[in-house]
Amino acid sequence: MKFEVELKFPVDDLTNVEARVEEMGGIIEVPKRQADKYYSHPSRNFAETDEALRIRRVGDQNFITYKGPKVDDSTKTRREVEVPLVSGATGAANIVAMFESLGFMPVAEVIKDRRKSEFGYEGFQVLVAMDEVLELGKFVELEITAEDDEVEAAKAALEKLAAELGLSDSERRSYLELILGNE
């Protein structure tokens, strides 16, 4: 089973992180707008179960993502299942119609401009995402996709990378939780 091991940090400015990532050999992509629409489940409370279901639009691409509950108290490590959908506005509209027909209701939308870089670090492929989130501000996410038996090593690698990038005071709440004001 694959897990998304993640640390997220609020920052005032992304410039220093960008410079450090480039010094480490990372190439930062041009920004892409991501619009994530989150849904409530018709028979269980995702806020109580610490799960999430979203439709993500990035340009013409559409994805559906399920995020399981966080597995520890210090990181945002959780199971994530993401499936690409039919591209374009019609593809997105069709999955929205299906969700709503099944009783899933929209909760909120998170819109962000994301610049990312991927590079090898401590034996893992690391994604560094530099986000400007509408209504919330600037954040840096560090992420590794790891197998069950690699989770602890992935956490250690991300903590080491965070220190090298000058990041501290990680935020465990998701952007959705932050927008909704959840503790």
Side-chain angles (χ1 to χ4, degrees):
M1 182 181 310
K2 294 216 182 251
F3 286 86
E4 174 187 73
V5 182
E6 179 183 310
L7 290 173
K8 175 171 48 197
F9 303 89
V11 295
D12 293 327
D13 184 24
L14 294 166
T15 308
N16 291 336
V17 173
E18 292 169 358
R20 288 184 175 137
V21 165
E22 289 174 337
E23 287 169 9
M24 299 174 91
I27 298 170
I28 300 172
E29 297 178 1
V30 298
K32 291 185 181 172
R33 172 135 308 176
Q34 294 181 345
D36 297 338
K37 187 173 258 184
Y38 287 86
Y39 287 84
S40 65
H41 192 283
S43 62
R44 72 180 187 235
N45 185 336
F46 282 162
E48 290 176 5
T49 62
D50 193 26
E51 297 170 285
L53 183 67
R54 74 167 182 230
I55 297 171
R56 171 172 283 172
R57 298 204 61 199
V58 183
D60 203 35
Q61 297 177 304
N62 302 307
F63 303 89
I64 184 170
T65 307
Y66 164 79
K67 292 185 176 227
K70 295 176 198 87
V71 299
D72 66 40
D73 291 333
S74 61
T75 67
K76 289 185 59 204
T77 301
R78 57 186 3 178
R79 182 171 178 231
E80 180 177 290
V81 180
E82 186 167 80
V83 179
L85 299 170
V86 174
S87 297
T90 301
N94 287 342
I95 194 68
V96 165
M98 180 185 291
F99 272 21
E100 292 179 5
S101 295
L102 292 170
F104 290 84
M105 297 308 297
V107 174
E109 187 168 36
V110 176
I111 298 174
K112 64 183 170 285
D113 292 316
R114 171 170 279 186
R115 287 174 291 156
K116 62 184 181 177
S117 178
E118 290 189 60
F119 54 90
Y121 183 82
E122 297 287 312
F124 292 100
Q125 192 66 18
V126 177
L127 168 69
V128 178
M130 290 143 285
D131 295 336
E132 295 188 42
V133 185
L134 296 182
E135 300 181 33
L136 294 179
K138 297 175 180 147
F139 294 84
V140 175
E141 289 189 356
L142 308 176
E143 181 182 312
I144 293 173
T145 300
E147 296 291 340
D148 248 347
D149 60 345
E150 301 173 316
V151 168
E152 291 306 315
K155 286 184 203 177
L158 290 183
E159 288 168 1
K160 182 177 178 184
L161 178 59
E164 287 184 34
L165 294 174
L167 300 169
S168 60
D169 301 321
S170 70
E171 172 61 68
R172 284 190 70 241
R173 291 173 294 174
S174 68
Y175 293 140
L176 175 63
E177 289 170 317
L178 290 169
I179 283 176
L180 295 176
N182 295 350
E183 292 299 319

